[in-house]
Amino acid sequence: MDTEADDCVFCNITQHKIPAKIYFENEELVVVQDILPKAPVHVLVISKEHVPSINDTTKAHEALLGRMILAGKQAATDRGVGESGYRLTFNVGREGGQIVPHIHLHVLGGKQLAE
Ligand code: AMP
């Protein structure tokens, strides 16, 4: 896997260099608890490959992105919000609210989410 960014917090999580509550892991992604949850369920699906943002993805990432969404669906089911509903969000760039420059999918649920 690409591990280019030593100072990237999400690379450090996927490489187990800093602690995180990991719910699921496979060869290409990890599902972790968000450290500052914005909903009763707030987990992140993080790619092991260091890609700064969705803007940096290409057709080569098509399968990875699909599997990140499926992992988000599974995480929502595992956390008990599969039926009540949830939100899957990629924040992209500054005005998109992206703080950590490493692709990750937010899974939010467990309450009525605002628009
Ligand atoms: P974004 O604004 O889309 O870049 O989202 C980054 C998310 O990562 C935020 O919801 C943060 O609370 C979360 N976050 C930042 N550092 C950590 C960490 N060390 N462990 C878990 N979640 C984190």
Side-chain angles (χ1 to χ4, degrees):
M1 288 297 155
D2 296 17
T3 54
E4 302 138 26
D6 287 346
D7 59 349
C8 169
V9 63
F10 285 175
C11 283
N12 283 319
I13 285 176
T14 63
Q15 293 168 31
H16 304 281
K17 291 179 179 169
I18 63 171
K21 181 166 180 50
I22 296 179
Y23 292 116
F24 175 80
E25 176 170 12
N26 66 18
E27 63 285 348
E28 64 182 353
L29 57 84
V30 296
V31 177
V32 304
Q33 174 63 40
D34 194 290
I35 205 166
L36 288 172
K38 294 172 184 64
V41 172
H42 189 174
V43 302
L44 304 171
V45 180
I46 304 175
S47 159
K48 287 190 176 179
E49 179 181 355
H50 180 78
V51 182
S53 100
I54 287 290
N55 279 342
D56 300 296
T57 59
T58 67
K59 194 160 177 59
H61 297 102
E62 206 169 47
L64 169 65
L65 292 170
R67 286 192 286 265
M68 288 179 75
I69 292 170
L70 291 174
K73 178 189 76 165
Q74 187 62 50
T77 301
D78 293 347
R79 306 311 305 152
V81 298
E83 291 302 317
S84 53
Y86 55 94
R87 184 169 292 164
L88 301 178
T89 306
F90 283 104
N91 294 329
V92 184
R94 182 171 42 85
E95 292 193 356
Q98 185 179 5
I99 304 295
V100 178
H102 178 128
I103 53 168
H104 53 282
L105 176 65
H106 293 260
V107 182
L108 292 145
K111 69 173 186 181
Q112 184 62 53
L113 297 168
E115 286 293 309

